[in-house]
Amino acid sequence: MISRPLWICCVAELIGTFLLIFFGTGAVQTAVLHGDLAGLWQVGIVWGVAIMLAIYTVGPISGAHINPAITIGLSTWGLFPAGRVAPYVGSQLVGAIAAAGLLFAINASYFSATEAERGIVRGEPASIVTAMCFGEYYPNPGKLGNAAVTEADLAVWQASFSQPMACLAEAVGTAILAMVVLATTEKENLGGPKNLAPVFIGLCVAVLICVIAPLTQACFNPARDFGPRLFAYFAGWGSAAIPGPNGIGMVTVYIVAPIIGSIIGCGLYQKLVRPYVIEPTPTAD
C-alpha cells in the first residue's frame, strides 16, 4: 500500500471507525430499544458488514485498522510505524465517540421510553441495561431479561462470570481476529481472498460475536468500548458507564485483553503461520 500523509490517514481512520460504530452499535441499540433484531447472528452479521464496508471505504488510504488493538499489534511486530500509533488510536477514538453521539441523538426518545417502561433511573446500577447500548459489560446484560432489575438480580448476574475468564475470552477473540486480518490481507498468500479480504474479516467478527457476545458482548476493540462508554458517561449514565459494575474490568477486559490478544495473534501469524503460507524463494542447486 502506498504511504499516505498522516493527516489523511487519521481522517480515514476516524471515518472508518465512525462507520463501524454507527452500524454495529446501532444494531445493538436496535435490538435493545426496538426489539427489531432477534438473536446473536442478526446483530453479529451487522457488525460483520459494518467492518467490511469500513475497510472497503478507507482501507486504500489508511489500511483501515479501525481498532487500537490491531494498530498496536501490527506495530509491535514491525508491521506499522510506531510514530503513527498514537494519531491512529486518537482518530479511532474520536470516530467512535462521534458515532455514539449521533446514535444517541436519533434514539434519545427510545432510551427514555425503555427506561420508563422498565423503571430504570439513568445513572443508577440497573441502568446498565441501556448503557450496554454504548459500552460493554460482562456477562452480557441481556441475560437480565426485559423486566425490572433489582439489586439481587444484579448480584446474581455479576457473579456468573469472572474477570479472568472475561479477559481470556476477549484476548482469544482478538488474537483470532488479528490472525485472520493478517492471513487474508497477506499479498503472498496464494490461497488468500485478495480483494475479498474485508468480507472474510467481517465474517470472522460475526462468528466471534456468536460465540463470545453472551459472555462479554464481544468487544475485541478498545475504541469500540471506550469511545461510546465515555459518551454515555457524560450523557447521564455516569458511574453506570465508568467504571460500571465491572470496576477495573472495564480496563482489563476491554482495553488490556484485546491489545494483548492482538499482539499474540499478530505474532503467531508472523512467526508460526506466515513462513509456511508464503511461496518459498527458489534457491540455486
Side-chain angles (χ1 to χ4, degrees), residues 148-198:
V149 178
T150 66
E151 290 187 10
D153 293 331
L154 287 173
V156 172
W157 164 80
Q158 195 166 5
S160 65
F161 196 59
S162 69
Q163 183 179 154
M165 289 299 99
C167 285
L168 179 61
E170 285 291 324
V172 169
T174 314
I176 293 171
L177 173 60
M179 291 183 68
V180 170
V181 167
L182 289 179
T184 55
T185 57
E186 175 62 67
K187 293 181 179 179
E188 297 186 68
N189 182 359
L190 300 181
K194 308 306 178 188
N195 63 338
L196 291 178

Short mmCIF file of all heavy atoms in Angstrom, two decimals, residues 148-198:
data_model
loop_
_atom_site.label_atom_id
_atom_site.label_comp_id
_atom_site.label_asym_id
_atom_site.label_seq_id
_atom_site.Cartn_x
_atom_site.Cartn_y
_atom_site.Cartn_z
N ALA A 148 -38.13 -5.40 35.24
CA ALA A 148 -37.40 -4.51 36.13
C ALA A 148 -36.24 -5.27 36.77
O ALA A 148 -36.36 -6.46 37.07
CB ALA A 148 -38.33 -3.96 37.21
N VAL A 149 -35.12 -4.58 36.99
CA VAL A 149 -33.92 -5.21 37.51
C VAL A 149 -33.71 -4.79 38.97
O VAL A 149 -33.64 -3.59 39.27
CB VAL A 149 -32.68 -4.83 36.67
CG1 VAL A 149 -31.42 -5.46 37.25
CG2 VAL A 149 -32.88 -5.26 35.23
N THR A 150 -33.58 -5.76 39.86
CA THR A 150 -33.36 -5.47 41.28
C THR A 150 -31.88 -5.62 41.62
O THR A 150 -31.09 -6.13 40.83
CB THR A 150 -34.17 -6.44 42.15
OG1 THR A 150 -33.66 -7.78 41.97
CG2 THR A 150 -35.65 -6.42 41.76
N GLU A 151 -31.52 -5.20 42.83
CA GLU A 151 -30.14 -5.37 43.29
C GLU A 151 -29.77 -6.84 43.37
O GLU A 151 -28.64 -7.23 43.08
CB GLU A 151 -29.96 -4.70 44.66
CG GLU A 151 -30.01 -3.17 44.61
CD GLU A 151 -29.66 -2.56 45.96
OE1 GLU A 151 -29.22 -3.32 46.86
OE2 GLU A 151 -29.83 -1.35 46.11
N ALA A 152 -30.72 -7.67 43.76
CA ALA A 152 -30.47 -9.11 43.83
C ALA A 152 -30.19 -9.67 42.43
O ALA A 152 -29.31 -10.51 42.25
CB ALA A 152 -31.66 -9.82 44.46
N ASP A 153 -30.94 -9.20 41.46
CA ASP A 153 -30.72 -9.62 40.07
C ASP A 153 -29.31 -9.26 39.62
O ASP A 153 -28.61 -10.07 39.00
CB ASP A 153 -31.73 -8.97 39.13
CG ASP A 153 -33.15 -9.42 39.36
OD1 ASP A 153 -33.33 -10.57 39.80
OD2 ASP A 153 -34.07 -8.62 39.12
N LEU A 154 -28.88 -8.05 39.95
CA LEU A 154 -27.55 -7.58 39.57
C LEU A 154 -26.46 -8.41 40.24
O LEU A 154 -25.45 -8.71 39.62
CB LEU A 154 -27.38 -6.10 39.94
CG LEU A 154 -28.14 -5.10 39.07
CD1 LEU A 154 -28.02 -3.69 39.65
CD2 LEU A 154 -27.61 -5.11 37.64
N ALA A 155 -26.68 -8.77 41.50
CA ALA A 155 -25.67 -9.56 42.22
C ALA A 155 -25.50 -10.94 41.59
O ALA A 155 -24.37 -11.41 41.41
CB ALA A 155 -26.07 -9.68 43.69
N VAL A 156 -26.61 -11.58 41.27
CA VAL A 156 -26.55 -12.91 40.64
C VAL A 156 -25.90 -12.80 39.26
O VAL A 156 -25.05 -13.62 38.89
CB VAL A 156 -27.96 -13.52 40.53
CG1 VAL A 156 -27.92 -14.80 39.69
CG2 VAL A 156 -28.54 -13.79 41.91
N TRP A 157 -26.30 -11.80 38.51
CA TRP A 157 -25.74 -11.57 37.17
C TRP A 157 -24.24 -11.37 37.24
O TRP A 157 -23.47 -11.99 36.50
CB TRP A 157 -26.42 -10.35 36.55
CG TRP A 157 -25.70 -9.76 35.37
CD1 TRP A 157 -25.73 -10.22 34.09
CD2 TRP A 157 -24.83 -8.62 35.37
NE1 TRP A 157 -24.94 -9.43 33.28
CE2 TRP A 157 -24.37 -8.44 34.04
CE3 TRP A 157 -24.40 -7.72 36.35
CZ2 TRP A 157 -23.50 -7.42 33.68
CZ3 TRP A 157 -23.54 -6.70 35.99
CH2 TRP A 157 -23.10 -6.56 34.68
N GLN A 158 -23.78 -10.51 38.15
CA GLN A 158 -22.37 -10.17 38.22
C GLN A 158 -21.51 -11.35 38.66
O GLN A 158 -20.37 -11.50 38.23
CB GLN A 158 -22.17 -9.00 39.18
CG GLN A 158 -20.82 -8.32 39.06
CD GLN A 158 -20.79 -6.99 39.78
OE1 GLN A 158 -21.75 -6.61 40.44
NE2 GLN A 158 -19.69 -6.27 39.64
N ALA A 159 -22.07 -12.23 39.47
CA ALA A 159 -21.31 -13.37 39.99
C ALA A 159 -21.20 -14.52 39.00
O ALA A 159 -20.47 -15.48 39.24
CB ALA A 159 -21.95 -13.86 41.29
N SER A 160 -21.91 -14.43 37.88
CA SER A 160 -22.00 -15.57 36.98
C SER A 160 -20.83 -15.70 36.01
O SER A 160 -20.71 -16.73 35.33
CB SER A 160 -23.31 -15.50 36.18
OG SER A 160 -23.32 -14.38 35.32
N PHE A 161 -19.94 -14.69 35.96
CA PHE A 161 -18.81 -14.78 35.04
C PHE A 161 -17.67 -13.95 35.61
O PHE A 161 -17.84 -12.77 35.92
CB PHE A 161 -19.20 -14.28 33.65
CG PHE A 161 -18.24 -14.68 32.57
CD1 PHE A 161 -17.95 -16.01 32.32
CD2 PHE A 161 -17.62 -13.72 31.79
CE1 PHE A 161 -17.08 -16.38 31.31
CE2 PHE A 161 -16.74 -14.07 30.78
CZ PHE A 161 -16.46 -15.41 30.54
N SER A 162 -16.48 -14.54 35.72
CA SER A 162 -15.37 -13.88 36.40
C SER A 162 -14.55 -13.01 35.47
O SER A 162 -14.53 -13.20 34.24
CB SER A 162 -14.44 -14.94 37.03
OG SER A 162 -13.76 -15.66 36.00
N GLN A 163 -13.83 -12.07 36.08
CA GLN A 163 -12.96 -11.18 35.31
C GLN A 163 -11.86 -11.93 34.56
O GLN A 163 -11.62 -11.65 33.38
CB GLN A 163 -12.35 -10.11 36.22
CG GLN A 163 -11.49 -9.11 35.47
CD GLN A 163 -10.90 -8.06 36.37
OE1 GLN A 163 -9.87 -7.47 36.08
NE2 GLN A 163 -11.55 -7.78 37.49
N PRO A 164 -11.16 -12.91 35.18
CA PRO A 164 -10.13 -13.63 34.42
C PRO A 164 -10.68 -14.33 33.19
O PRO A 164 -10.04 -14.33 32.13
CB PRO A 164 -9.59 -14.63 35.45
CG PRO A 164 -9.85 -13.99 36.77
CD PRO A 164 -11.14 -13.27 36.61
N MET A 165 -11.86 -14.94 33.31
CA MET A 165 -12.45 -15.62 32.15
C MET A 165 -12.88 -14.62 31.09
O MET A 165 -12.77 -14.88 29.88
CB MET A 165 -13.63 -16.48 32.59
CG MET A 165 -13.26 -17.72 33.38
SD MET A 165 -12.19 -18.86 32.42
CE MET A 165 -10.56 -18.44 33.09
N ALA A 166 -13.35 -13.46 31.52
CA ALA A 166 -13.73 -12.42 30.56
C ALA A 166 -12.49 -11.93 29.82
O ALA A 166 -12.53 -11.72 28.59
CB ALA A 166 -14.41 -11.26 31.29
N CYS A 167 -11.38 -11.75 30.54
CA CYS A 167 -10.13 -11.35 29.89
C CYS A 167 -9.68 -12.40 28.88
O CYS A 167 -9.25 -12.06 27.76
CB CYS A 167 -9.03 -11.14 30.94
SG CYS A 167 -9.17 -9.64 31.92
N LEU A 168 -9.78 -13.66 29.27
CA LEU A 168 -9.38 -14.73 28.37
C LEU A 168 -10.23 -14.73 27.11
O LEU A 168 -9.71 -14.88 25.99
CB LEU A 168 -9.50 -16.08 29.09
CG LEU A 168 -9.12 -17.32 28.27
CD1 LEU A 168 -7.67 -17.25 27.83
CD2 LEU A 168 -9.39 -18.58 29.07
N ALA A 169 -11.54 -14.58 27.26
CA ALA A 169 -12.44 -14.58 26.11
C ALA A 169 -12.10 -13.45 25.14
O ALA A 169 -12.03 -13.65 23.92
CB ALA A 169 -13.89 -14.46 26.58
N GLU A 170 -11.86 -12.25 25.68
CA GLU A 170 -11.55 -11.11 24.82
C GLU A 170 -10.18 -11.25 24.17
O GLU A 170 -10.00 -10.90 22.99
CB GLU A 170 -11.61 -9.82 25.63
CG GLU A 170 -13.02 -9.36 25.95
CD GLU A 170 -13.79 -8.90 24.72
OE1 GLU A 170 -13.17 -8.29 23.83
OE2 GLU A 170 -15.00 -9.16 24.65
N ALA A 171 -9.21 -11.78 24.91
CA ALA A 171 -7.86 -11.95 24.35
C ALA A 171 -7.87 -12.99 23.23
O ALA A 171 -7.27 -12.78 22.17
CB ALA A 171 -6.88 -12.35 25.45
N VAL A 172 -8.54 -14.12 23.46
CA VAL A 172 -8.60 -15.16 22.44
C VAL A 172 -9.33 -14.67 21.20
O VAL A 172 -8.88 -14.88 20.06
CB VAL A 172 -9.27 -16.43 23.01
CG1 VAL A 172 -9.58 -17.42 21.89
CG2 VAL A 172 -8.39 -17.08 24.06
N GLY A 173 -10.46 -14.01 21.40
CA GLY A 173 -11.22 -13.48 20.27
C GLY A 173 -10.42 -12.50 19.44
O GLY A 173 -10.43 -12.56 18.20
N THR A 174 -9.69 -11.62 20.11
CA THR A 174 -8.90 -10.62 19.38
C THR A 174 -7.69 -11.26 18.70
O THR A 174 -7.30 -10.86 17.61
CB THR A 174 -8.43 -9.50 20.32
OG1 THR A 174 -9.53 -9.05 21.13
CG2 THR A 174 -7.91 -8.31 19.52
N ALA A 175 -7.10 -12.27 19.33
CA ALA A 175 -5.99 -12.99 18.70
C ALA A 175 -6.43 -13.66 17.42
O ALA A 175 -5.74 -13.60 16.39
CB ALA A 175 -5.41 -14.02 19.68
N ILE A 176 -7.60 -14.29 17.44
CA ILE A 176 -8.13 -14.93 16.24
C ILE A 176 -8.38 -13.88 15.16
O ILE A 176 -8.03 -14.06 13.99
CB ILE A 176 -9.42 -15.69 16.56
CG1 ILE A 176 -9.11 -16.89 17.46
CG2 ILE A 176 -10.13 -16.14 15.29
CD1 ILE A 176 -10.35 -17.58 18.02
N LEU A 177 -8.98 -12.77 15.55
CA LEU A 177 -9.24 -11.69 14.60
C LEU A 177 -7.96 -11.19 13.97
O LEU A 177 -7.87 -11.01 12.74
CB LEU A 177 -9.98 -10.54 15.29
CG LEU A 177 -10.19 -9.27 14.46
CD1 LEU A 177 -11.00 -9.57 13.21
CD2 LEU A 177 -10.85 -8.19 15.30
N ALA A 178 -6.92 -10.95 14.79
CA ALA A 178 -5.65 -10.45 14.27
C ALA A 178 -5.02 -11.42 13.28
O ALA A 178 -4.50 -11.02 12.23
CB ALA A 178 -4.69 -10.17 15.43
N MET A 179 -5.07 -12.70 13.60
CA MET A 179 -4.53 -13.70 12.68
C MET A 179 -5.28 -13.71 11.36
O MET A 179 -4.67 -13.79 10.28
CB MET A 179 -4.58 -15.09 13.33
CG MET A 179 -3.65 -15.29 14.49
SD MET A 179 -3.70 -16.97 15.17
CE MET A 179 -2.99 -17.90 13.83
N VAL A 180 -6.59 -13.62 11.41
CA VAL A 180 -7.39 -13.62 10.19
C VAL A 180 -7.12 -12.36 9.37
O VAL A 180 -7.02 -12.43 8.13
CB VAL A 180 -8.89 -13.75 10.53
CG1 VAL A 180 -9.76 -13.50 9.30
CG2 VAL A 180 -9.18 -15.12 11.11
N VAL A 181 -6.97 -11.23 10.04
CA VAL A 181 -6.66 -9.98 9.32
C VAL A 181 -5.36 -10.13 8.54
O VAL A 181 -5.28 -9.81 7.34
CB VAL A 181 -6.56 -8.80 10.31
CG1 VAL A 181 -5.91 -7.59 9.63
CG2 VAL A 181 -7.93 -8.42 10.84
N LEU A 182 -4.32 -10.64 9.19
CA LEU A 182 -3.03 -10.79 8.52
C LEU A 182 -3.09 -11.87 7.44
O LEU A 182 -2.52 -11.70 6.35
CB LEU A 182 -1.95 -11.11 9.53
CG LEU A 182 -1.55 -9.96 10.46
CD1 LEU A 182 -0.46 -10.41 11.43
CD2 LEU A 182 -1.06 -8.75 9.66
N ALA A 183 -3.75 -12.96 7.70
CA ALA A 183 -3.81 -14.06 6.73
C ALA A 183 -4.56 -13.65 5.47
O ALA A 183 -4.14 -13.98 4.35
CB ALA A 183 -4.46 -15.28 7.36
N THR A 184 -5.67 -12.94 5.63
CA THR A 184 -6.49 -12.59 4.47
C THR A 184 -5.93 -11.42 3.68
O THR A 184 -6.26 -11.24 2.51
CB THR A 184 -7.93 -12.26 4.89
OG1 THR A 184 -7.93 -11.23 5.88
CG2 THR A 184 -8.62 -13.50 5.45
N THR A 185 -5.08 -10.60 4.32
CA THR A 185 -4.50 -9.45 3.62
C THR A 185 -3.07 -9.71 3.16
O THR A 185 -2.45 -8.84 2.56
CB THR A 185 -4.52 -8.19 4.51
OG1 THR A 185 -3.81 -8.46 5.74
CG2 THR A 185 -5.96 -7.79 4.84
N GLU A 186 -2.55 -10.90 3.44
CA GLU A 186 -1.19 -11.26 3.04
C GLU A 186 -1.08 -11.34 1.52
O GLU A 186 -1.72 -12.18 0.89
CB GLU A 186 -0.81 -12.60 3.66
CG GLU A 186 0.54 -13.15 3.22
CD GLU A 186 1.67 -12.24 3.60
OE1 GLU A 186 1.92 -12.10 4.82
OE2 GLU A 186 2.30 -11.67 2.69
N LYS A 187 -0.28 -10.46 0.93
CA LYS A 187 -0.16 -10.42 -0.53
C LYS A 187 0.46 -11.70 -1.09
O LYS A 187 0.17 -12.09 -2.23
CB LYS A 187 0.66 -9.21 -0.96
CG LYS A 187 -0.02 -7.88 -0.66
CD LYS A 187 0.83 -6.71 -1.12
CE LYS A 187 0.13 -5.38 -0.83
NZ LYS A 187 0.97 -4.21 -1.26
N GLU A 188 1.30 -12.32 -0.32
CA GLU A 188 1.99 -13.52 -0.80
C GLU A 188 1.24 -14.81 -0.48
O GLU A 188 1.73 -15.90 -0.77
CB GLU A 188 3.40 -13.58 -0.22
CG GLU A 188 4.29 -12.44 -0.66
CD GLU A 188 5.72 -12.61 -0.18
OE1 GLU A 188 6.41 -13.53 -0.67
OE2 GLU A 188 6.13 -11.84 0.71
N ASN A 189 0.06 -14.68 0.09
CA ASN A 189 -0.75 -15.86 0.38
C ASN A 189 -1.52 -16.22 -0.90
O ASN A 189 -2.55 -15.61 -1.23
CB ASN A 189 -1.72 -15.56 1.53
CG ASN A 189 -2.58 -16.76 1.90
OD1 ASN A 189 -2.48 -17.82 1.29
ND2 ASN A 189 -3.43 -16.57 2.90
N LEU A 190 -1.03 -17.21 -1.63
CA LEU A 190 -1.64 -17.57 -2.90
C LEU A 190 -3.05 -18.11 -2.73
O LEU A 190 -3.86 -18.08 -3.67
CB LEU A 190 -0.77 -18.61 -3.62
CG LEU A 190 0.66 -18.16 -3.96
CD1 LEU A 190 1.41 -19.27 -4.69
CD2 LEU A 190 0.64 -16.88 -4.80
N GLY A 191 -3.38 -18.59 -1.55
CA GLY A 191 -4.73 -19.09 -1.29
C GLY A 191 -5.62 -18.06 -0.63
O GLY A 191 -6.74 -18.38 -0.22
N GLY A 192 -5.14 -16.83 -0.52
CA GLY A 192 -5.90 -15.78 0.14
C GLY A 192 -7.02 -15.24 -0.71
O GLY A 192 -7.07 -15.47 -1.93
N PRO A 193 -7.94 -14.48 -0.11
CA PRO A 193 -9.12 -13.99 -0.83
C PRO A 193 -8.89 -12.71 -1.63
O PRO A 193 -9.83 -12.21 -2.26
CB PRO A 193 -10.13 -13.75 0.30
CG PRO A 193 -9.28 -13.40 1.47
CD PRO A 193 -8.03 -14.21 1.33
N LYS A 194 -7.67 -12.14 -1.55
CA LYS A 194 -7.33 -10.92 -2.29
C LYS A 194 -8.30 -9.78 -1.94
O LYS A 194 -8.41 -9.42 -0.79
CB LYS A 194 -7.30 -11.19 -3.80
CG LYS A 194 -6.41 -12.38 -4.19
CD LYS A 194 -5.00 -12.27 -3.64
CE LYS A 194 -4.16 -13.49 -4.01
NZ LYS A 194 -2.85 -13.51 -3.35
N ASN A 195 -9.00 -9.22 -2.96
CA ASN A 195 -9.84 -8.06 -2.67
C ASN A 195 -11.13 -8.41 -1.93
O ASN A 195 -11.94 -7.55 -1.63
CB ASN A 195 -10.18 -7.30 -3.95
CG ASN A 195 -11.00 -8.14 -4.93
OD1 ASN A 195 -10.99 -9.36 -4.86
ND2 ASN A 195 -11.72 -7.46 -5.82
N LEU A 196 -11.32 -9.69 -1.62
CA LEU A 196 -12.46 -10.09 -0.79
C LEU A 196 -12.06 -10.22 0.69
O LEU A 196 -12.88 -10.65 1.51
CB LEU A 196 -13.03 -11.42 -1.27
CG LEU A 196 -13.74 -11.40 -2.63
CD1 LEU A 196 -14.21 -12.80 -2.99
CD2 LEU A 196 -14.91 -10.43 -2.62
N ALA A 197 -10.84 -9.83 1.02
CA ALA A 197 -10.39 -9.91 2.41
C ALA A 197 -11.35 -9.22 3.39
O ALA A 197 -11.65 -9.79 4.45
CB ALA A 197 -8.98 -9.33 2.54
N PRO A 198 -11.87 -8.02 3.08
CA PRO A 198 -12.80 -7.39 4.03
C PRO A 198 -14.04 -8.22 4.32
O PRO A 198 -14.57 -8.19 5.43
CB PRO A 198 -13.17 -6.07 3.33
CG PRO A 198 -12.01 -5.77 2.44
CD PRO A 198 -11.55 -7.12 1.95
#
